Amino acid sequence: MPTTHENIRLAIVDDHRMLLGALTEWIRGAASDINMVAAVTTWPDLLTDPEFPVDVVLLDLDLKDNLPISVKLRALKSAGVKTVLMSTYSEPVVVREALAAGALGYLVKSEEADMIVEAIRSAAKGEPFISSELDLALSAQEVNGSPKLSAQERRVMALYGGGEPVKQVAEQLSISEETAKSYLKRIREKYRVLGIDVGTKVALRKRAIQDGLLIQDDYLTNPESVAGETSRG
């Protein structure tokens, strides 16, 4: 069956009829290389549809049929069908389990619709796809109650938490000021997905000490200047 970028045969399974109709119309108008051949509300309807098997299935993770998603994914894989899951859940454990069970893509229903087309095209080529938001949540996996930071992120957090302004952090690490700000934003987001607020410089410094990235006496400016820093830049 064809799985080329030019002709992707797609089926959608979602038990919310309004969403199903909206998705069907949107995809038909958004991508000429995706051929919507089936839109059904139940798992049995998919398997008995005359167009099945298709190239890619956009499958609602939350179908109320008590059939484990792992069973569905195995059945689709054995039929040569690639699967992109949709869900209201973005918890890392749910996403990891779905990907481990054989899904090639995972989309949260609150994300931008454009990502659906990207995910379908990636799946058709056998390539995994998750959004940047989910990727961030996955990369922020918990290690002893803290997120997993890259070596450069740890350096940025230690310097900035130690009292250095962003400009000095950038100079010491030989990166641009905008790149340093991007690292700080990513660090804060990794903590946020674990329910930890390091939005202010004070909070970030305390967390850097708690996580062993900074010794209490190491901060480089006077404590008053650090304590006075409340911006999120």
Side-chain angles (χ1 to χ4, degrees):
M1 70 183 63
T3 55
T4 65
H5 186 79
E6 290 74 27
N7 183 22
I8 302 168
R9 297 174 63 253
L10 174 73
I12 301 181
V13 188
D14 196 303
D15 56 5
H16 294 86
R17 292 183 182 276
M18 187 177 295
L19 178 60
L20 183 64
L23 271 176
T24 300
E25 291 305 311
W26 186 85
I27 291 173
R28 280 177 174 157
S32 59
D33 58 315
I34 298 174
N35 185 14
M36 268 289 300
V37 297
V40 297
T41 58
T42 71
W43 173 251
D45 285 345
L46 172 67
L47 299 183
T48 57
D49 192 282
E51 295 289 346
F52 188 83
V54 295
D55 297 326
V56 179
V57 168
L58 193 58
L59 177 64
D60 185 2
L61 177 66
D62 314 312
L63 293 175
K64 309 299 187 290
D65 55 13
N66 297 317
L67 187 63
I69 191 63
S70 57
V71 172
K72 296 173 183 173
L73 289 170
R74 280 198 300 270
L76 291 171
K77 187 175 181 179
S78 67
V81 178
K82 311 295 198 309
T83 307
V84 175
L85 291 175
M86 300 180 295
S87 177
T88 56
Y89 303 114
S90 60
E91 289 82 355
V93 65
V94 176
V95 180
R96 287 194 191 98
E97 287 176 356
L99 297 176
L104 271 174
Y106 193 104
L107 298 167
V108 178
K109 290 181 178 180
S110 60
E111 291 180 310
E112 294 295 327
D114 288 349
M115 290 186 182
I116 297 172
V117 170
E118 289 184 50
I120 293 167
R121 288 172 176 159
S122 294
K125 293 183 287 186
E127 299 172 356
F129 179 92
I130 56 173
S131 70
S132 55
E133 178 184 330
L134 286 179
D135 185 42
L136 189 59
L138 292 174
S139 66
Q141 59 190 22
E142 199 168 340
V143 181
N144 297 324
S146 301
K148 181 181 178 182
L149 302 178
S150 69
Q152 189 76 320
E153 286 168 345
R154 290 195 295 272
R155 295 184 193 103
V156 170
M157 186 168 178
L159 287 169
Y160 186 72
E164 293 281 20
V166 174
K167 185 176 181 180
Q168 293 303 316
V169 172
E171 287 181 2
Q172 290 198 43
L173 297 178
S174 300
I175 58 178
S176 71
E177 193 169 341
E178 285 305 310
T179 299
K181 288 178 181 178
S182 294
Y183 275 117
L184 282 170
K185 183 178 179 181
R186 188 173 178 88
I187 289 164
R188 284 169 165 149
E189 184 63 14
K190 283 187 175 184
Y191 277 98
R192 185 194 66 77
V193 298
L194 295 180
I196 302 167
D197 183 8
V198 291
T200 66
K201 196 167 190 176
V202 172
L204 190 142
R205 175 180 170 268
K206 287 180 179 177
R207 192 70 205 190
I209 293 170
Q210 183 177 333
D211 290 347
L213 301 175
L214 186 67
I215 298 172
Q216 184 136 9
D217 294 335
D218 274 358
Y219 60 99
L220 305 175
T221 59
N222 65 69
E224 288 76 17
S225 70
V226 176
E229 169 72 64
T230 58
S231 74
R232 292 179 176 264

